[in-house]
Amino acid sequence: MPSAASIKVLIVDDQQTMRSLVRNGLEQLGFREFTEAGDGEAGLRSMLTAPPNLVISDFNMPKLDGLGLLRAIRSHEPIRSTAFIMLTGRADKELVQRAVQFGVNNYLVKPFTVATLKGKIEAVFGALT
């Protein structure tokens, strides 16, 4: 079982408020290592410099959206296997299907609870300690 404190997380969202909500939820779950980016391009640059274990990314963003970021990650060998959870404001079946085709590990619909966030992460990593 992985320790939440041992998992490095990159939060990618163009809204500072949403990044803060995700970060606060993660902190409640015991996560301690975070990096944040305001768009997919900045997120990808950050990943290539300091790869995280988990990316939680919004779908709709300027410059490079969540699907574009996911595709870029899956095409770069050093970061290809990074866990990726797509954060979306809508339960769009087509979006989820496209994300699955590109290798998303899970998705989280806004608004979310800390319990839902935990469940989505545990579905990827197993029970957290």
Side-chain angles (χ1 to χ4, degrees):
M1 289 185 279
S3 162
S6 70
I7 299 173
K8 297 175 188 174
V9 183
L10 170 62
I11 304 165
V12 186
D13 197 301
D14 58 324
Q15 295 181 5
Q16 175 61 47
T17 303
M18 186 52 62
R19 291 195 310 268
S20 294
L21 288 171
V22 172
R23 184 181 185 124
N24 290 340
L26 291 169
E27 287 174 340
Q28 290 178 43
L29 296 172
F31 289 81
R32 297 291 172 252
E33 292 191 57
F34 307 96
T35 307
E36 295 182 19
D39 61 62
E41 285 182 2
L44 183 58
R45 282 193 306 273
S46 174
M47 287 192 70
L48 294 172
T49 302
N53 306 103
L54 171 63
V55 174
I56 298 177
S57 176
D58 188 26
F59 172 70
N60 289 310
M61 295 181 291
K63 296 185 183 177
L64 183 63
D65 68 16
L67 279 180
L69 176 59
L70 176 59
R71 285 195 328 242
I73 290 168
R74 295 300 184 242
S75 69
H76 282 79
E77 186 58 44
I79 58 174
R80 178 175 284 155
S81 62
T82 304
F84 194 106
I85 296 177
M86 184 74 70
L87 183 61
T88 181
R90 56 197 164 140
D92 183 341
K93 188 175 180 178
E94 181 182 327
L95 166 64
V96 172
Q97 289 173 340
R98 288 176 52 209
V100 167
Q101 289 174 338
F102 292 123
V104 75
N105 297 94
N106 215 325
Y107 70 97
L108 182 63
V109 178
K110 298 183 260 186
F112 60 89
T113 64
V114 174
T116 303
L117 176 62
K118 180 181 182 187
K120 297 294 183 172
I121 294 170
E122 287 184 333
V124 176
F125 288 96
L128 299 172
T129 61

